[in-house]
């Protein structure tokens, strides 16, 4: 876990490396899961005896039940934590069913999700978690109101920006009281107010969250925009911000066609050393396919009596129908 060469370089200052594989917005698509698993495993093997995590910034599922079984098992086996995205919440009763059926209760973090009355998800979405002495906080969109009033989504809401900042502050303080000095925020909020290619750019959500003392890393999602930058907290501490998505000369299919690998170095106080940190984005398709999805024979599902395989191929088509379903 501690790199000796790093200590020598910094006059034996105790340093700790944390490696994170990150992604967002796969929308229940299975096309690239096998290649992702190969890439993730290779990254882990290149950092033996260190802290390795796989974290997601939400929209793992989709509103429609196409690849529910494969995705649920994928999250259980390969993802340490995910933000609770709008598509996840929009899945409603089926989302709750997947969490219970596949043992995903400690996987989805919805720190700013609350319940006005009773909703089954209140017992199955956690507010924060600690993994290997690293705190994880997760956010649903702060401007998320549409479609939550559907019959199977009653009594569930998300906090607005100001309320969310207060809630995250409180959660960070509670984690710090436990001695946790490395905290990752999974922010399915997008970078700017609104989301998509035509947002207003009047509020930088990531910058707002980065100012919260104690936040070290923000892994974003929701707006499908590739991000890799640094900000500072109100205490002047560096914050690393990343998100996979659209980039110059690069499309983004919301289907795990790319993912990120971060190697982060913290000092003894849990403060990042920017000059020693690295992040890179990888094309998932460049990795050989594992044989994970073969364990789950395709079966007839309720929606339209389509098989997992059929719907997966449908989602892979570059057409206007695909864009309608997979858009954020």
């Amino acid at each position: 876990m501690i790199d000796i060469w790093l200590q020598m370089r910094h006059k034996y200052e105790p340093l700790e490396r944390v490696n994170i594989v990150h992604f967002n917005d796969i929308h229940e698509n299975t096309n690239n899961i096998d290649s992702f698993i190969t890439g993730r495993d290779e990254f882990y093997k290149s950092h033996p005896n260190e802290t390795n995590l796989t974290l997601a910034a939400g929209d793992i599922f989709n509103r429609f039940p196409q690849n529910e079984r494969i995705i649920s098992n994928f999250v259980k086996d390969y993802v340490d934590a995910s933000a609770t995205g709008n598509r996840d919440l929009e899945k409603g009763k089926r989302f709750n069913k997947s969490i219970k059926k596949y043992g995903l209760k400690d996987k989805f973090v919805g720190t700013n999700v609350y319940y006005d009355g009773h909703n089954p998800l209140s017992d199955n979405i956690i507010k924060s978690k600690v993994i290997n002495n690293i705190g994880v906080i997760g956010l649903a969109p702060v401007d998320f109101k549409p479609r939550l009033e559907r019959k199977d989504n009653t009594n569930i809401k998300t906090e607005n920006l100001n309320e969310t900042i207060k809630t995250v502050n409180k959660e960070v303080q509670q984690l710090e009281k436990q001695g946790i000095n490395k905290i990752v925020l999974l922010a399915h909020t997008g970078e700017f107010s609104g989301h998509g290619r035509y947002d207003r750019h009047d509020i930088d959500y990531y910058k707002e969250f980065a100012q919260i003392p104690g936040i070290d890393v923000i892994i974003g999602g929701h707006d499908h925009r590739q991000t890799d930058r640094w900000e500072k907290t109100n205490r002047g501490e560096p914050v690393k911000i990343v998100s996979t998505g659209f980039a110059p000369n690069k499309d983004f299919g919301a289907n795990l066609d790319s993912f990120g690998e971060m190697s982060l170095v913290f000092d003894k106080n849990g403060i990042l050393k920017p000059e020693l940190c690295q992040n890179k984005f990888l094309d998932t398709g460049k990795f050989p396919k594992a044989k994970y999805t073969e364990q789950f024979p395709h079966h007839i599902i309720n929606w339209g009596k389509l098989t997992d395989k059929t719907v997966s191929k449908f989602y892979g088509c570059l057409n206007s129908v695909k864009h309608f379903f997979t858009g954020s």
Side-chain angles (χ1 to χ4, degrees):
M1 186 178 296
I2 304 298
D3 286 346
I4 296 177
W5 72 269
L6 287 176
Q7 294 182 34
M8 294 177 63
R9 180 176 175 181
H10 287 262
K11 298 181 180 180
Y12 300 97
E13 176 187 2
L15 299 173
E16 181 177 355
R17 186 190 297 274
V18 175
N19 307 300
I20 299 177
V21 175
H22 62 90
F23 64 92
N24 51 274
D25 296 274
I26 67 174
H27 294 186
E28 207 163 320
N29 192 294
T30 62
N31 290 351
N32 293 303
I33 283 181
D34 285 315
S35 294
F36 170 81
I37 290 172
T38 301
R40 170 196 181 270
D41 289 351
E42 287 183 6
F43 184 63
Y44 275 32
K45 289 176 182 178
S46 68
H47 295 279
N49 305 316
E50 295 179 353
T51 299
N52 297 311
L53 301 176
T54 299
L55 301 175
D59 274 8
I60 302 298
F61 290 102
N62 208 334
R63 294 193 301 274
F64 308 105
Q66 62 268 28
N67 293 316
E68 191 172 278
R69 182 162 56 118
I70 296 175
I71 292 294
S72 296
N73 280 284
F74 167 68
V75 172
K76 181 178 65 175
D77 295 338
Y78 289 97
V79 180
D80 293 296
S82 173
T84 307
N86 54 291
R87 296 293 180 125
D88 304 315
L89 293 174
E90 289 164 13
K91 201 173 182 68
K93 290 181 180 179
R94 296 194 68 91
F95 181 39
N96 183 61
K97 180 180 178 181
S98 291
I99 292 175
K100 294 174 66 177
K101 182 176 181 179
Y102 297 97
L104 308 180
K105 184 174 181 178
D106 66 339
K107 298 291 188 178
F108 287 90
V109 188
T111 309
N112 67 336
V113 179
Y114 69 99
Y115 311 89
D116 182 15
H118 177 70
N119 184 293
L121 286 173
S122 63
D123 299 321
N124 290 312
I125 296 178
I126 58 178
K127 292 295 183 180
S128 67
K129 66 183 299 185
V130 177
I131 314 170
N132 296 337
N133 252 7
I134 299 169
V136 178
I137 295 172
L139 301 181
V142 299
D143 55 359
F144 181 45
K145 294 182 181 179
R147 293 187 292 265
L148 279 184
E149 298 303 322
R150 288 168 35 189
K151 184 177 179 180
D152 57 355
N153 271 329
T154 57
N155 303 322
I156 185 169
K157 301 179 184 298
T158 61
E159 297 174 332
N160 63 30
L161 178 59
N162 291 334
E163 292 170 339
T164 294
I165 290 174
K166 292 178 182 177
T167 296
V168 173
N169 258 304
K170 182 179 179 181
E171 207 67 34
V172 169
Q173 292 170 13
Q174 291 178 349
L175 288 169
E176 289 183 331
K177 287 180 180 178
Q178 301 174 41
I180 305 301
N181 62 7
K182 294 181 284 294
I183 298 176
V184 178
L185 179 67
L186 307 176
H188 193 81
T189 62
E191 187 171 15
F192 298 104
S193 61
H195 64 275
R197 297 181 181 182
Y198 306 104
D199 44 37
R200 301 187 305 272
H201 290 71
D202 56 337
I203 300 175
D204 184 337
Y205 287 151
Y206 297 160
K207 187 177 181 69
E208 294 288 328
F209 299 138
Q211 294 178 43
I212 299 173
I215 296 295
D216 298 294
V217 180
I218 297 175
I219 299 174
H222 185 49
D223 59 3
H224 303 179
R225 178 184 290 107
Q226 182 172 295
T227 304
D228 187 351
R229 59 190 253 220
W230 288 91
E231 291 288 347
K232 289 187 177 181
T233 70
N234 287 338
R235 294 193 299 220
E237 300 160 349
V239 179
K240 183 65 169 176
I241 304 174
V242 295
S243 176
T244 61
F246 293 109
N249 302 317
K250 178 183 178 297
D251 199 4
F252 182 69
N255 59 3
L256 198 53
D257 59 357
S258 65
F259 65 96
E261 294 178 346
M262 274 194 296
S263 183
L264 305 170
V265 178
F266 295 84
D267 68 14
K268 63 180 181 180
N269 298 313
I271 308 300
L272 283 170
K273 297 289 217 178
E275 71 277 13
L276 300 178
C277 297
Q278 295 181 336
N279 175 71
K280 60 180 178 179
F281 299 106
L282 298 102
D283 181 353
T284 312
K286 293 183 178 180
F287 293 91
K289 291 182 179 293
K291 297 183 178 180
Y292 182 76
T293 59
E294 291 182 7
Q295 301 177 48
F296 310 100
H298 298 297
H299 60 290
I300 299 297
I301 59 176
N302 293 329
W303 179 53
K305 295 183 178 180
L306 296 174
T307 64
D308 288 343
K309 184 176 182 179
T310 301
V311 179
S312 182
K313 286 184 177 180
F314 171 75
Y315 267 65
C317 296
L318 295 177
N319 55 41
S320 59
V321 178
K322 174 260 183 183
H323 186 269
F324 170 78
F325 283 118
T326 62
S328 63

